């Protein structure tokens, strides 16, 4: 039953592709919608347990599972993909796009239910390859962004497979439960864990291995941007979570990951504050927000990490859908030329989602941040500083969008509104509690924006570089340096 979560989108991707040779393209939207929504039925009736496909033993079989961690991530993916599917029906015309989106859907769901390293890798790669192709659908600069994403992601894929091989040689298993039972600390396993983490950090777009993310997420078609930011980067993050739960992670490596997490949180916010391109602003916030997810892993707080990843799927996916509605209708990504004042639903959605990403009660972001703070014994000042920067950045976004007179976005504002409503409902359902610090942080974020604006720091012009081999080489060099650093630290 559980494996149908990944199998159904895969089946309907095949059926959607078949509509082209059979000259039944008008049915592509129907098969796409079926493949998008049918996994909901499986999710609602499948038991919360682990199963080995075909009744094999764990040693030779493929184990899948729904548990406290994967269930919440799958729920976030299903909610976001449903909203994106609704947006995409009126956006894409080619069955090829619908096919690729269903492959991405299958890859993500398969990653979240996998309980052995090799099958996790296979599903993550299905999602990655689909993402490369979907980014390039926008043409022009997006094609170069997709190529950069492809080259850097493939490089890390080879190293991730190498780490799986080392783990298999040392333990004799690929199944995570069996690995956990047999694994003991050794230099080889420590090196394998370090290699795996370095590879997954790049795939998740975490600083300083984020170089592909701002270009790919901002230049992709609008519904693809929402999926990449809200869901696709969660698969490698979930891989890091699985590694931390089932393998011995040296304390020195956890400390290094903590430093990387805070660096990503602050760097992403700082770069977002300087952006005038609305999609690039949101893309840099993904760099920052994935730092929060890594923070939970680095502090041995898996539930906090999952809560935040779930919330991020809702509010960041919704924000990209809001931005997409404006960009696609108004024909520009310049924040100073966009406005949502002509559509009350889109205005309300964007403001609600901005509060959610800022961690303000009663939205889901406040639950995620409260969960992370429970296990955070050091660096709380940096945590709150990143939160202030996030609220200042979204004050800037709404300040510009409140000016001018935008059109009515009609149907395209609906997916973003549904995501905003879900962010509110999820926050209440998961027990978000009102705190005085939320009001202080919100006031502080507004004050910080006003201060930066008056100082003229938000008007700095950033040079827009062409995407070429040099940027790819830089990304590869950064990966190599961090890889060597993590291997060294893992052995201290």
């Amino acid at each position: 039953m559980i494996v149908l979560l990944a199998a159904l989108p895969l089946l309907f991707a095949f059926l959607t592709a078949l509509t082209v040779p059979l000259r039944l393209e008008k049915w592509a939207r129907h098969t796409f919608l079926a493949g998008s929504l049918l996994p909901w039925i499986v999710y609602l009736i499948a038991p919360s347990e682990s199963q080995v496909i075909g009744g094999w033993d764990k040693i030779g079989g493929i184990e899948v599972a729904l548990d406290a961690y994967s269930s919440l991530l799958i729920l976030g993916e299903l909610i976001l993909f449903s909203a994106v599917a609704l947006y995409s029906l009126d956006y894409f015309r080619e069955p090829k796009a619908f096919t690729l989106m269903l492959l991405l859907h299958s890859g993500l769901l398969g990653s979240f239910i996998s309980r052995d390293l090799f099958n996790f890798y296979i599903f993550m790669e299905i999602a990655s390859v689909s993402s490369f192709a979907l980014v390039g659908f926008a043409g022009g600069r997006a094609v170069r962004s997709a190529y950069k994403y492809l080259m850097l992601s493939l490089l890390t894929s080879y190293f991730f497979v190498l780490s799986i091989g080392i783990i298999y040689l040392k333990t004799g298993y690929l199944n995570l439960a069996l690995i956990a039972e047999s694994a003991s600390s050794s230099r080889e396993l420590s090196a394998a864990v370090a290699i795996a983490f370095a590879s997954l950090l790049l795939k998740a777009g975490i600083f300083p291995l984020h170089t592909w993310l701002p270009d790919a997420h901002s230049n992709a078609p609008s519904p693809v941007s929402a999926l990449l930011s809200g869901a696709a980067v969660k698969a490698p993050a979930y891989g890091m979570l699985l590694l931390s739960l089932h393998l011995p992670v040296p304390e020195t490596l956890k400390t290094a990951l903590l430093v990387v997490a805070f660096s990503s949180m602050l760097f992403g916010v700082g770069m977002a504050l300087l952006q005038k391109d609305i999609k690039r602003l949101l893309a840099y916030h993904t760099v920052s927000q994935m730092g929060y997810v890594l923070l939970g892993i680095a502090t041995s707080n898996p539930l906090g990490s999952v809560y935040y990843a779930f919330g991020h799927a809702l509010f960041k996916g919704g924000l990209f859908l809001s931005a997409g509605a404006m960009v696609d209708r108004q024909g520009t990504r310049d924040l100073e030329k966009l406005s949502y004042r002509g559509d009350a639903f889109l205005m309300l959605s964007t403001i609600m989602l901005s509060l959610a990403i800022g961690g303000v009660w009663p939205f889901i972001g406040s639950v995620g941040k409260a969960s992370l703070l429970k296990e955070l014994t050091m660096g709380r000042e940096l945590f709150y500083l990143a939160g202030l920067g996030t609220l200042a950045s979204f004050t800037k976004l709404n300040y510009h969008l409140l000016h001018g007179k935008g059109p009515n976005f009609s149907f395209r504002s609906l997916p973003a509104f549904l995501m905003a409503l879900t962010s509110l409902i999820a926050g209440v359902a998961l027990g978000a509690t009102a705190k005085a610090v939320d009001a202080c942080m919100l006031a502080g974020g507004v004050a910080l924006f006003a201060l930066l604006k008056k100082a003229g720091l938000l008007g700095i012009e950033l040079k827009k570089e062409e995407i070429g081999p040099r940027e790819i080489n830089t990304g590869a060099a950064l990966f190599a340096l961090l890889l060597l650093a993590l291997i060294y630290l893992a052995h201290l």
Side-chain angles (χ1 to χ4, degrees):
M1 176 64 73
I2 296 172
V3 77
L4 289 176
L5 278 167
L8 284 172
L10 203 58
L11 170 64
F12 280 91
F14 175 69
L15 295 176
T16 304
L18 272 183
T19 62
V20 176
L22 296 177
R23 297 184 179 180
L24 297 171
E25 287 93 339
K26 65 180 180 180
W27 290 97
R29 288 178 178 171
H30 300 287
T31 54
F32 168 66
L33 204 55
S36 302
L37 300 179
L38 282 176
W40 271 106
I41 299 173
V42 180
Y43 179 77
L44 294 172
I45 64 175
S48 295
E49 61 181 19
S50 65
Q51 302 169 352
V52 181
I53 300 169
W56 290 70
D57 291 332
K58 282 186 179 181
I59 294 177
I62 298 173
E63 185 178 7
V64 294
L66 279 177
D67 56 26
Y69 304 133
S70 62
S71 291
L72 204 55
L73 290 171
I74 290 169
L75 177 60
E77 198 276 349
L78 289 173
I79 293 170
L80 175 57
F81 200 91
S82 300
V84 169
L86 188 63
Y87 191 100
S88 300
L89 289 175
D90 185 47
Y91 188 94
F92 290 117
R93 295 287 182 267
E94 297 181 49
K96 186 192 301 183
F98 295 134
T99 302
L100 289 168
M101 289 186 72
L102 287 175
L103 287 174
L104 175 57
H105 195 24
S106 176
L108 291 173
L109 292 173
S111 298
F112 295 143
I113 63 174
S114 293
R115 283 301 176 275
D116 75 84
L117 285 174
F118 189 73
N119 282 281
F120 168 79
Y121 162 73
I122 292 298
F123 278 112
M124 182 174 65
E125 287 306 294
I126 290 173
S128 295
V129 172
S130 307
S131 299
F132 308 148
L134 284 166
V135 169
F137 249 83
R141 187 177 173 86
V143 176
R144 295 192 293 275
S145 301
Y147 179 70
K148 180 180 177 181
Y149 181 13
L150 165 69
M151 295 304 293
L152 291 174
S153 185
L154 281 181
L155 170 66
T156 56
S157 294
Y158 301 142
F159 280 92
F160 187 67
V161 172
L162 171 64
S163 70
I164 293 175
I166 297 171
I167 292 168
Y168 180 70
L169 286 172
K170 292 300 295 181
T171 65
Y173 302 112
L174 292 172
N175 181 280
L176 284 161
L178 297 176
I179 288 172
E181 292 173 7
S182 61
S184 57
S185 296
S186 69
R187 292 180 65 83
E188 293 83 0
L189 270 183
S190 294
V193 170
I195 293 168
F197 267 103
S199 303
L200 295 172
L201 284 170
L202 187 144
K203 285 180 174 290
I206 294 172
F207 175 85
L209 306 182
H210 68 288
T211 56
W212 62 270
L213 189 149
D215 291 315
H217 286 204
S218 62
N219 293 320
S222 296
V224 176
S225 295
L227 273 181
L228 292 180
S229 183
V233 290
K234 303 304 187 310
Y238 187 58
M240 289 188 277
L241 182 67
L242 291 175
L243 290 171
S244 68
L245 289 171
H246 295 93
L247 281 157
V249 181
E251 288 301 316
T252 49
L253 184 56
K254 285 186 178 180
T255 303
L257 294 175
L258 185 65
V259 173
V260 171
F262 279 124
S263 300
S264 197
M265 290 161 61
L266 294 169
F267 172 82
V269 162
M271 290 300 293
L273 278 165
L274 300 176
Q275 302 304 313
K276 293 184 178 180
D277 179 327
I278 187 171
K279 291 184 71 176
R280 202 166 178 83
L281 181 151
L282 294 177
Y284 271 110
H285 272 294
T286 300
V287 176
S288 176
Q289 298 294 305
M290 290 308 295
Y292 285 90
V293 177
L294 180 62
L295 186 65
I297 297 168
T299 55
S300 301
N301 183 8
L303 197 58
S305 182
V306 168
Y307 271 136
Y308 203 87
F310 169 68
H312 183 257
L314 302 184
F315 53 67
K316 180 49 74 64
L319 282 164
F320 263 112
L321 289 172
S322 292
M326 289 180 272
V327 169
D328 296 337
R329 180 67 184 275
Q330 295 173 282
T332 179
R333 286 167 25 187
D334 188 338
L335 189 56
E336 296 178 354
K337 296 178 182 177
L338 293 169
S339 176
Y340 52 34
R341 287 186 61 186
D343 193 310
F345 274 110
L346 193 63
M347 181 190 296
L348 179 62
S349 302
T350 307
I351 293 172
M352 289 172 68
L353 291 163
S354 298
L355 293 172
I357 196 172
V360 177
W361 177 83
F363 297 95
I364 184 63
S366 65
V367 178
K369 288 192 173 183
S371 299
L372 290 173
L373 280 169
K374 285 180 182 178
E375 302 296 329
L376 190 60
T377 56
M378 57 184 294
R380 283 177 171 250
E381 297 84 1
L382 295 175
F383 187 93
Y384 286 119
L385 180 60
L388 279 174
T390 301
L391 286 164
S393 180
F394 281 92
T395 301
K396 168 188 169 178
L397 182 140
N398 286 282
Y399 170 82
H400 287 295
L401 294 180
L402 279 167
H403 288 78
K405 180 68 175 176
N408 184 289
F409 298 95
S410 61
F411 176 78
R412 285 202 174 168
S413 64
L414 179 60
F417 180 71
L418 292 175
M419 295 302 291
L421 196 60
T422 306
S423 296
L424 174 60
I425 294 170
V428 173
L430 291 175
T433 55
K435 306 181 199 66
V437 70
D438 286 1
C440 294
M441 289 290 289
L442 183 56
V446 175
L448 179 59
F449 163 72
L451 183 64
L452 292 173
K453 186 174 184 298
K454 188 169 184 179
L457 296 177
L458 300 182
I460 296 174
E461 291 286 341
L462 295 176
K463 184 181 178 182
K464 191 173 184 180
E465 297 183 359
E466 283 300 314
I467 301 168
R470 178 180 294 181
E471 285 199 339
I472 296 172
N473 292 340
T474 301
L478 286 170
F479 169 71
L481 289 172
L482 186 64
L483 173 65
L484 292 172
L486 291 184
I487 292 174
Y488 173 74
L489 290 169
H491 288 106
L492 287 179

